[in-house]
Amino acid sequence: VHVLEDVLLFTQVMDPTSNLRQVVADDTSLNGLRQAIAVANAGSILERAGPLTLFAPTNAAFALLNQRFFALLLMPPYVVHLRELLRMHISSRNVYTAATLQDGLVIDTLRGADNLTVSIESESVVVASAVNSGAVIEAELLGTNGVVHKINQVLLPLALSQNLLEVAGSRSNLNAMASLVVTAGLEETLTNASLASTILAPTDLAFAGLDPSIVGRFNEDLNLLRDVLLYHEIQIFIES
């Protein structure tokens, strides 16, 4: 036994002097998150007065993402989606300490309708979106305006989980395209289309403008319909 004249404290016990943005910036295991915050110009969110709770994906969590998908999110046309992805990981409702992360807890996020749900699995705290989930691997990094919990997955909002067919089906002016894809038996093709694909999707008005004889040929020859629909898929990513 060695007798000490002071109590040794680790960082989480001491009074914090950094806000959550600084907590992220000072942690090298959160470099990927720091990059995403900078590109999305979202740092001011983590500087708010609070109370804030940040579920922070680690570098390893970002490495698990499809890297082409992540690269797209870092591009200017898609930064708005990156910002919404980050907002999915932040709650301004409360400072949720490790003790409050109980099974069944529903956490409001800055995404509004996209909440997170807490569960306890094999003694691990798991935080889930409507799409996927991540386990808390380091809890309760304190900041002056809230708390950070490191997680091992990037949580995805529903809006970023749709495949190409689901995107077409969600647009009111692409009903004909979505219907014909099903008729042609191409659902799996578009569902599994890679991030390197671009679909040129004719609107309902475009299909309505076709000569009736051509539409009739589609109905008679599904192979022709498939060929025409696949003619609208380009095997590279093209920005709008």
Side-chain angles (χ1 to χ4, degrees), residues 45-100:
I45 297 175
L46 298 180
E47 294 175 339
R48 294 178 182 176
L52 298 175
T53 299
L54 168 65
F55 294 97
T58 62
N59 298 338
F62 276 100
L64 292 175
L65 282 177
N66 181 302
Q67 291 305 294
R68 183 170 181 83
F69 170 68
F70 186 43
L72 290 178
L73 291 178
L74 296 176
M75 295 170 63
Y78 304 100
V79 165
V80 61
H81 300 298
L82 176 61
R83 188 175 297 115
E84 289 305 303
L85 182 146
L86 293 174
R87 288 166 62 88
M88 184 82 197
H89 294 76
I90 304 170
S91 174
S92 61
R93 176 73 66 177
N94 200 353
V95 174
Y96 291 99
T97 62
T100 62

Side-chain angles (χ1 to χ4, degrees), residues 72-147:
L72 290 178
L73 291 178
L74 296 176
M75 295 170 63
Y78 304 100
V79 165
V80 61
H81 300 298
L82 176 61
R83 188 175 297 115
E84 289 305 303
L85 182 146
L86 293 174
R87 288 166 62 88
M88 184 82 197
H89 294 76
I90 304 170
S91 174
S92 61
R93 176 73 66 177
N94 200 353
V95 174
Y96 291 99
T97 62
T100 62
L101 296 178
Q102 298 296 315
D103 191 67
L105 176 68
V106 176
I107 298 175
D108 293 333
T109 74
L110 296 184
R111 274 279 299 169
D114 285 313
N115 296 324
L116 301 177
T117 303
V118 176
S119 61
I120 307 300
E121 302 177 12
S122 301
E123 299 185 356
S124 294
V125 176
V126 176
V127 183
S129 70
V131 177
N132 65 339
S133 62
V136 175
I137 57 175
E138 186 175 349
E140 218 164 291
L141 305 178
L142 297 180
T144 56
N145 56 343
V147 66

Side-chain angles (χ1 to χ4, degrees), residues 7-25:
V7 177
L8 302 179
L9 298 177
F10 48 91
T11 303
Q12 290 92 325
V13 175
M14 300 173 65
D15 289 335
T17 59
S18 301
N19 60 40
L20 295 195
R21 182 177 188 177
Q22 293 168 318
V23 170
V24 171

Side-chain angles (χ1 to χ4, degrees), residues 31 60 75 99 101 133 136 166 176 203 218 221 237:
N31 286 343
M75 295 170 63
L101 296 178
S133 62
V136 175
E166 290 169 336
T203 64
F218 288 164
D221 189 346
F237 174 79

Side-chain angles (χ1 to χ4, degrees), residues 141 149 167 178:
L141 305 178
H149 302 293
V167 171

